[in-house]
Amino acid sequence: MTLPAMLQIDEILAAYRSGMLRPTALVTEVLERVDAYALKDPAVWIARAERDTLLARAAFLETQPVDSLPLYGIPFAVKDNIDVAGYPTTAACPDFAYVPQASAEVVARLEAAGAIMIGKTNLDQFATGLVGTRSPYGQPHCVFDDRYVSGGSSSGSGVAVAAGLVSFSLGTDTAGSGRVPAAINNIVGLKPTRGALSTTGVVPACLSLDCVSIFATSVADALKVETQAAAWDSAAPYSRPMQHHALPQQTFRFGVLAHKDRFFDGDTQNADLYEQAISRCEALGGVAVELDYTPLRETAELLYGGAFVVERLAAIEPFFTAHEAAMDPTVAGIIGSARNYSAADVFRAAYRQHELRQVAAQMWQQFDVMLLPTMPRIVSRAEVAAQPVAANSLHGVYTNFVNLLDMSACAVPAAFRDDGLPFGVTFVAPAFADHDLGLLAGRFHAASQTGAGLARVAVGAADEAARPAAEGTLRLAVVGAHLKGLPLHYQLEQENAVLVRTTRTATDYRLFALPASTPPKPGLFRQPGFEGPGLEVEIYELSAAGFGRFVASVPQPMAIGRISLADGQEVDSFLCAEAFASKGQDITALGGWKAYLQTRQAG
């Protein structure tokens, strides 16, 4: 089987299940693609896995059932400021390089889920930049036109996905590095809630703000990866258990820039495309509300225009002191400017940040999400060479504030310009809205009909959600101890159950931790009129016989009945009598059983 142009996760998994593709064949073709693309752009990778290593990994996976691992045989790339055991971590600075013995927590989790790490990708040095040109390993360029930058700092990670070399990649995002390369290369860039993905094993840029980000060809793929990567980590100082901030999907309010705040640096075509994006969002059921960009603009200026730059120095100060001359001059100049600030300046900046957070928090009373241009326009490599700081700053006009204000974001393609370059927008929402924000952004992406990446292959708003159950099978939603990784999951494995997707219930369900249950388990019941966040569930597909055996083993007070999901579909699920469940602890607000278990562990 010839691999599809864009390596979408479900398409690859379907080929594995059918026997048309095996991991060893995928690795062989991916390596051929990587070699071929290197002739066009040799700066995408800093280090690549050896062919024999990749084939050995693929051969091992072929000894495992396809559906035993959610990312079985899925190729991915890792930004080279994130540790992968046995590979140098350079942060695009050769003098800084070290070889870690252990992989970063996120990498370890993705490999445990079956993914295959193809290599380490290029970046703006020490993740300082939004252009992708600040690297001694070369300058990756836009996949559509080599006169233009790829976007940074996660430059190689964005290009690797857009060129069809991997299914997804990891970047980092402090000021917009997980979103700008997505816009320039016609792919999705998911910036999770800060702390949802562990930063253990990640070279810090600004530790209090850093996020591990995800590039993919669809929002559905990005959310699949986030589901596997997200976990509370006691070793990461800013780690937080994933929660759920619900967003309306059918009728929603979205904040847009007032005309006076629409800055495109003279690019009238991008201004028109933003207006078209607003209209498309309205067609999806949204109501546009003008937002006041003033506090967001001031917040954005804090990141590089004030004392927050001191945190970049704090991250690498011993190295910087000894090796400043060996660094990229622009990066060294930015980090070195931290010496102009006092400790009092840092505290004053932090105070102002929190004042602006209070202002921004009130904005969510006016609308549910924001719809912003990802950037005013794409800058050329020649512009960056002439004005390295000014050109870079142009890319961050609409991105820099997000982490400072503790928001989630998802960048998606919106249109193509007359000159063949893409235009992208970013949906921004409160912290922990990752899932629901992704659903909305995915609908927008599908409606935009831009496809994804270099091949511009069409993507759907929903994949597995729309696929009917296979003939002779039934679907079951599990909410508690049968979730993957929990004590009773083996009962599903015994019936060869296949994970279809992770989603949420409708909002009128409640979840209680049942008293004195072994192993610990929750009780789910419906309360008409109740408005909650919806509860996380995993949907499995079982044979009819396997479903019957499974249901027969369900003990009292549990039962199997129909529930409604967030997208309106109905499916069988575990339910519990309200009178019994309500004797336990109400954990509905946490959004699911795993979130509750993480909270207990954190406590």
Side-chain angles (χ1 to χ4, degrees), residues 387-413:
Q387 294 184 307
V389 175
N392 184 91
S393 297
L394 188 61
H395 278 181
V397 168
Y398 299 120
T399 62
N400 286 357
F401 70 87
V402 174
N403 282 344
L404 283 161
L405 297 180
D406 196 19
M407 297 175 180
S408 55
C410 186
V412 291

Side-chain angles (χ1 to χ4, degrees), residues 36-100:
Y37 197 78
L39 299 176
K40 178 180 179 181
D41 186 348
V44 175
W45 306 89
I46 290 179
R48 287 167 46 187
E50 294 290 339
R51 178 185 181 89
D52 289 348
T53 300
L54 291 174
L55 289 174
R57 166 73 168 159
F60 165 75
L61 289 171
E62 289 175 6
T63 67
Q64 309 298 308
V66 173
D67 290 314
S68 65
L69 297 167
L71 296 177
Y72 178 98
I74 302 299
F76 76 110
V78 178
K79 184 177 179 178
D80 197 23
N81 63 339
I82 302 174
D83 288 349
V84 178
Y87 294 82
T89 299
T90 71
C93 182
D95 286 20
F96 179 78
Y98 63 91
V99 179

Side-chain angles (χ1 to χ4, degrees), residues 272-444:
D272 290 342
L273 292 176
Y274 179 56
E275 192 66 52
Q276 291 177 26
I278 293 171
S279 297
R280 187 173 303 123
C281 222
E282 290 175 328
L284 294 175
V287 177
V289 178
E290 281 196 355
L291 60 84
D292 178 9
Y293 197 67
T294 303
L296 307 182
R297 183 185 298 110
E298 182 182 347
T299 304
E301 291 169 353
L302 288 175
L303 197 57
Y304 284 107
F308 270 92
V309 75
V310 174
E311 192 169 13
R312 290 186 181 269
L313 176 60
I316 59 165
E317 187 171 19
F319 176 83
F320 185 81
T321 300
H323 299 277
E324 180 178 356
M327 293 175 57
D328 176 272
T330 302
V331 173
I334 292 168
I335 295 176
S337 69
R339 295 167 173 154
N340 298 325
Y341 297 97
S342 68
D345 292 330
V346 174
F347 275 97
R348 280 190 287 267
Y351 299 153
R352 185 56 182 155
Q353 174 200 12
H354 284 271
E355 289 170 354
L356 289 165
R357 274 193 186 180
Q358 299 283 50
V359 174
Q362 299 304 308
M363 298 173 74
W364 298 121
Q365 298 178 13
Q366 304 166 37
F367 43 78
D368 304 298
V369 299
M370 300 180 202
L371 177 71
L372 302 176
T374 301
M375 64 178 73
R377 65 175 179 85
I378 302 172
V379 301
S380 70
R381 295 164 76 183
E383 284 181 89
V384 176
Q387 294 184 307
V389 175
N392 184 91
S393 297
L394 188 61
H395 278 181
V397 168
Y398 299 120
T399 62
N400 286 357
F401 70 87
V402 174
N403 282 344
L404 283 161
L405 297 180
D406 196 19
M407 297 175 180
S408 55
C410 186
V412 291
F416 273 89
R417 297 161 43 88
D418 294 341
D419 58 9
L421 293 175
F423 172 76
V425 296
T426 298
F427 287 82
V428 182
F432 300 112
D434 305 32
H435 179 270
D436 287 11
L437 178 69
L439 294 179
L440 181 56
R443 288 172 57 206
F444 178 94

